[in-house]
Amino acid sequence: MRYSAWHILKQGLTGNKGWQPMWREPEPKPAYDFVIVGAGHGMAAAYYLAKVFRAKRIAVLEKGWLGSGNTGRNTTIIRSNYLMPANQPFYEFSMKLWEGLEQELNYNSMVSQRGIMNVFHSDPQRDAAARRGNAMLFSGADAELLNTDDLRRKAPFLDFENARFPIKGALWQPRGGTVRHDAVVWGYARAADALGVDIIQNCEVTGFQIQDGVCTGVETSKGPVRAGRVGVCVAGSSSRVMEKAGIRLPVESHVLQAFVSEGLKPALPGVITFGAGHFYVSQSDKGGLVFGGDIDGYNSYAQRGNLPTVEDVCEGGMALMPFIGRARLLRMWGGVMDMSMDGSPFIDRTAITGLYFNGGWCYGGFKATPASGYCMAHLLAHDRSHATASQFRLDRFLRGQLIDEKGVGAQPNLH
């Protein structure tokens, strides 16, 4: 629904009593054609399944509230600066969907394409950055190699003079940037609900209905739900959920911490990453510096991290841009990353007929949301992979066809 400026002003002056909920709160029906577990990538999948593939009788089951998982626990960065031929076209597809998302959903997701700069510190890193930039250009993405003078003009606050790690330049993607994370899931939810998708919050999947190798539904905290096809998109909880179907995944769960400082005047031109350590940073619309680093080095399902990682992230930030040492930390949080063994995701059928899996996103989950949802919807609708995600198979380790892109998260794998 579209509101006039007068209507919005009236609501603001009268206590916002006339707003309607953006989506319904239905109870689960006994049966659906499609059940999608998880309301992050799963919410995007439900929307595209209904909108693009014209499917009906769709339900999204979320164990918490919308945005309580990784969709609301990340550093909001979008980019398509990947190297491997299986990954780069996929993330560029996602970038194109991001660029039209607000018009597509008629919802302000605050897509801000301010650019991302991956700073490098040595000649070998420069060569690796050039190689990555060429791979980006081959897939139709944008990339530019900045020398030191170029980078000084864009980010004069970096420590060029006294740096422990000399700054040699950066790989710049002008179309990269940030998006308001919770607004993404809200926008998809509103649009999916308008297409008839049932969004069922506080509904945890406790098991799968499997008979003779066929998945016919799920058991939930709100009772059994039958389904023609079931898709699982639960990020860091992937191993625990798929274990209920007797499936062991090549995935480990780790905490990835993030932080935000007090609000500052506009200082950063876009997203900046440190090539000699684990640190990346952007500035939010409120002025806070949003930053993070590498995963904690142990397996965990907890949405909290530890102090050694905090120290490591702050050391990286101070080495790159010492002025942040004056900023006070406002808060921190953790998301549970589903880390695959080769740094690349899965969107595939399982060995159980009617059961499909989406996960293993490592550091790339949020930026992949639109393309992941679209390709998952294609898989559910047609029982075959979308061309862009055709190599994201679960059996690639058995076949020896890894998509080895480790280190593409906190560090852009430039050394």
Side-chain angles (χ1 to χ4, degrees):
M1 181 180 295
R2 296 180 184 272
Y3 294 101
S4 67
W6 166 246
H7 184 85
I8 295 172
L9 177 61
K10 179 182 176 182
Q11 289 303 316
L13 296 174
T14 57
N16 300 317
K17 296 179 180 179
W19 295 122
Q20 298 299 314
M22 290 196 297
W23 53 82
R24 297 168 292 121
E25 292 283 354
E27 290 298 313
K29 297 182 177 68
Y32 294 91
D33 292 339
F34 301 91
V35 164
I36 299 174
V37 185
H41 287 205
M43 187 61 72
Y47 168 74
Y48 292 117
L49 189 59
K51 178 68 181 294
V52 177
F53 301 101
R54 307 295 183 184
K56 305 293 183 183
R57 289 169 31 96
I58 305 167
V60 176
L61 310 183
E62 169 56 50
K63 71 175 181 180
W65 65 92
L66 298 190
S68 60
N70 282 6
T71 308
R73 289 175 170 267
N74 58 78
T75 49
T76 76
I77 297 169
I78 61 171
R79 55 184 173 86
S80 61
N81 54 355
Y82 282 70
L83 173 65
M84 303 305 292
N87 281 331
Q88 176 54 39
F90 175 86
Y91 283 96
E92 178 57 22
F93 175 42
S94 199
M95 181 65 77
K96 288 183 169 66
L97 290 174
W98 280 119
E99 289 173 327
L101 187 69
E102 292 173 318
Q103 290 73 27
E104 169 82 14
L105 303 180
N106 185 29
Y107 197 88
N108 181 14
S109 300
M110 301 176 69
V111 178
S112 176
Q113 293 178 279
R114 293 170 288 168
I116 178 169
M117 291 176 282
N118 299 130
V119 178
F120 51 76
H121 308 271
S122 66
D123 292 340
Q125 281 193 324
R126 178 189 289 109
D127 294 342
R131 182 185 177 207
R132 183 178 297 275
N134 287 332
M136 295 164 64
L137 294 173
F138 275 128
S139 75
D142 56 319
E144 183 178 339
L145 204 64
L146 305 179
N147 60 33
T148 305
D149 291 337
D150 297 330
L151 191 55
R152 279 181 184 272
R153 286 190 288 269
K154 292 183 178 297
F157 49 83
L158 299 181
D159 191 356
F160 292 93
E161 305 302 333
N162 305 303
R164 178 181 175 190
F165 304 97
I167 294 175
K168 301 273 189 172
L171 177 63
W172 183 41
Q173 184 180 21
R175 290 165 58 238
T178 60
V179 183
R180 177 75 182 188
H181 43 36
D182 43 13
V184 173
V185 71
W186 296 340
Y188 273 124
R190 189 182 74 156
D193 176 81
L195 293 169
V197 175
D198 281 358
I199 302 168
I200 304 166
Q201 301 179 76
N202 301 306
C203 182
E204 183 175 4
V205 169
T206 57
F208 293 87
Q209 300 170 2
I210 300 172
Q211 187 172 6
D212 298 326
V214 178
C215 182
T216 59
V218 294
E219 301 290 339
T220 81
S221 56
K222 293 190 175 183
V225 179
R226 298 193 306 277
R229 292 178 178 176
V230 176
V232 177
C233 313
V234 293
S237 297
S238 293
S239 296
R240 290 197 293 188
V241 173
M242 295 303 286
E243 185 181 28
K244 301 178 190 299
I247 294 177
R248 185 179 180 186
L249 297 170
V251 166
E252 291 184 348
S253 294
H254 291 257
V255 179
L256 182 64
Q257 297 185 69
F259 315 87
V260 65
S261 77
E262 61 185 324
L264 306 176
K265 292 181 179 180
L268 304 189
V271 183
I272 300 174
T273 77
F274 183 34
H278 294 283
F279 176 79
Y280 47 92
V281 63
S282 64
Q283 191 165 16
S284 75
D285 55 296
K286 298 179 184 177
L289 301 180
V290 182
F291 57 96
D294 197 17
I295 55 174
D296 285 13
Y298 54 87
N299 296 345
S300 175
Y301 293 108
Q303 291 178 321
R304 61 183 183 272
N306 64 16
L307 289 175
T309 299
V310 177
E311 182 179 7
D312 181 69
V313 171
C314 292
E315 284 180 354
M318 290 295 292
L320 181 65
M321 38 194 292
F323 85 88
I324 68 168
R326 305 285 294 182
R328 290 174 292 185
L329 189 65
L330 183 64
R331 61 189 179 92
M332 58 189 289
W333 63 93
V336 184
M337 302 294 104
D338 42 329
M339 307 296 293
S340 70
M341 300 300 101
D342 62 353
S344 299
F346 307 97
I347 304 177
D348 199 8
R349 295 178 294 186
T350 71
I352 299 171
T353 301
L355 180 60
Y356 304 81
F357 175 68
N358 177 316
W361 288 100
C362 302
Y363 305 98
F366 179 71
K367 67 185 68 64
T369 300
S372 171
Y374 193 103
C375 292
M376 187 65 176
H378 183 282
L379 178 64
L380 288 169
H382 297 305
D383 195 36
R384 66 177 186 274
S385 296
H386 187 275
T388 311
S390 60
Q391 296 187 55
F392 296 161
R393 292 178 53 178
L394 279 165
D395 66 351
R396 64 176 182 261
F397 295 97
L398 293 175
R399 294 182 291 111
Q401 295 183 334
L402 281 66
I403 312 170
D404 194 359
E405 194 136 22
K406 292 181 180 178
V408 79
Q411 292 189 87
N413 200 26
L414 296 178
H415 61 282

